Amino acid sequence: QVQVVESGGGLVQAGGSLTLSCTTSGFRFDDCAMGWFRQAPGKEREGVSCIAWNGGSTTYADSVKGRFTISRDNAKNTVYLQMNSLEPEDTAMYYCAADPSSWYCNLDQYEYNYWGQGTQVTVSS
């Protein structure tokens, strides 16, 4: 049974930091590219960051470059998103997803098969 569970969201002031975690089970984590996506109220879901199967390459949306860092621990079947210098515009539900069809990642959400339920991030001004 595939499980993808995000945690670490919360309420933070602008300029603050949060670290999201995504723990998985039920599939070969180290065969998958992993991605973080977000959806703000009234907006479409967008790609935030992704990481290749071995952590060797990463991709970031322009809006988060230099502020967010994605990483993974294949021994723990977990992927992380370190978010610094948070802005009110970062407020959204954040989702973790797995792409079992590729070792290397992109931010096309339709490439990802396994999704979590999301964790809410709210940044106050």
Side-chain angles (χ1 to χ4, degrees), residues 33-82:
M34 296 296 298
W36 285 98
F37 298 81
R38 68 186 181 187
Q39 187 168 20
K43 295 187 177 181
E44 293 188 355
R45 188 161 59 187
E46 63 175 355
V48 175
S49 182
C50 65
I51 187 167
W53 68 283
N54 62 352
S57 68
T58 57
T59 300
Y60 295 92
D62 287 344
S63 58
V64 306
K65 279 181 182 175
R67 300 189 298 121
F68 290 11
T69 303
I70 192 171
S71 61
R72 65 189 294 162
D73 184 339
N74 285 355
K76 295 182 178 179
N77 291 349
T78 300
V79 61
Y80 306 94
L81 186 68
Q82 172 70 42

Side-chain angles (χ1 to χ4, degrees), residues 29 31-35 51-53 72 97-100 102-105 112:
F29 180 81
D31 276 350
C32 296
M34 296 296 298
I51 187 167
W53 68 283
R72 65 189 294 162
D99 177 3
S102 177
W103 288 351
Y104 300 99
C105 76
Y112 291 77

Side-chain angles (χ1 to χ4, degrees), residues 7 35 58 61 81 87 114 123:
S7 61
T58 57
L81 186 68
E87 303 167 353
Y114 306 140
V123 184

